[in-house]
Amino acid sequence: GRVVALVPAAGRGVRLGEQTPKAFVTLAGTSMMRLSVDGLLASGVVDHVVVVAPAELIGAAVGLLPAGVQVVEGGAERIDSVRAGIAAAPDADIYLVHDAARALTPTTLIARVVAELRSGRKAVVPALEVTDTIKTVDILGGVTGTPKRSELRAIQTPQGFDAALLRRAYEAASADDPATDDAGLVERLGERVRTIPGDPLAFKITTQLDLTLARALTAATTK
Ligand code: CTP
Ligand code: MG
């Protein structure tokens, strides 16, 4: 089966607050987008990579990426960008969806997600136990509940899917769907999503604190 990795990289990086869109921000001179793609290619389990970039930076993305990586234009929301990636690679048997912002994701995690799909699972997500207590709140900030922490997981990428299932999930999704990950759309179809152990290094670089950590880790491993 042909494994296609879709890399949403079309976000603005508002929370990071750098001059350039987040996927183009560098760690030790290499863009997050390139680091994420290199990890996917180095995993040895990915046949083709599609990067979804901001419209005005398509050419810049092509210039930063290895030959053979396809680059397509993203949309306003992440869901629009992933949809564009799916459309660009209709021949996939398995899709991995992997945030450009998870630039330090170990290749071993990528390989474990694909191995799980190859063993017959149709939707696989990396998951970590949460360390903070998580509460639900109303719009005024009043606490409305405290879900049991032992039942909560923080979900990472790459998320892996049987290609037909992911296409069906996106066909069923509406434009203003509030799902914050791809598995959420699959769950709505009533299909079972399996978790596997995630990896702390697959953290999403979202804030300046995350960027500081990512740069420190990169400096430590390239010495
Ligand atoms: N993404 C995308 N298209 C969008 C929004 C997000 O391809 N319209 C991508 C981002 O580039 C990122 C991944 O989805 O690699 C996860 O999103 P997030 O961490 O939220 O990145 P941004 O949307 O860029 O950041 P922010 O929400 O702070 O603006
Ligand atoms: Mg975002």
Side-chain angles (χ1 to χ4, degrees), residues 127-213:
L128 289 180
E129 292 184 358
V130 295
T131 52
D132 288 319
T133 295
I134 309 284
K135 293 187 189 293
T136 57
V137 294
D138 60 27
I139 51 166
L140 297 175
V143 171
T144 55
T146 307
K148 244 199 263 172
R149 191 167 66 188
S150 60
E151 291 179 3
L152 296 173
R153 296 292 181 272
I155 301 301
Q156 305 178 313
T157 76
Q159 299 191 354
F161 305 93
D162 169 76
L165 176 59
L166 189 66
R167 283 187 211 109
R168 197 151 62 81
Y170 268 82
E171 277 159 24
S174 61
D176 56 347
D177 205 299
T180 52
D181 75 341
D182 305 288
L185 299 175
V186 168
E187 288 156 44
R188 278 194 217 146
L189 297 178
E191 296 286 337
R192 196 150 175 86
V193 174
R194 289 294 299 217
T195 61
I196 63 167
D199 193 307
L201 286 172
F203 71 101
K204 185 156 67 78
I205 300 164
T206 305
T207 64
Q208 282 292 325
L209 182 62
D210 299 326
L211 184 59
T212 298
L213 173 61

Side-chain angles (χ1 to χ4, degrees), residues 30 33-43 66 107:
T30 307
M33 183 176 64
R34 173 73 195 240
L35 289 167
S36 297
V37 168
D38 283 351
L40 288 162
L41 294 173
S43 74
T107 55

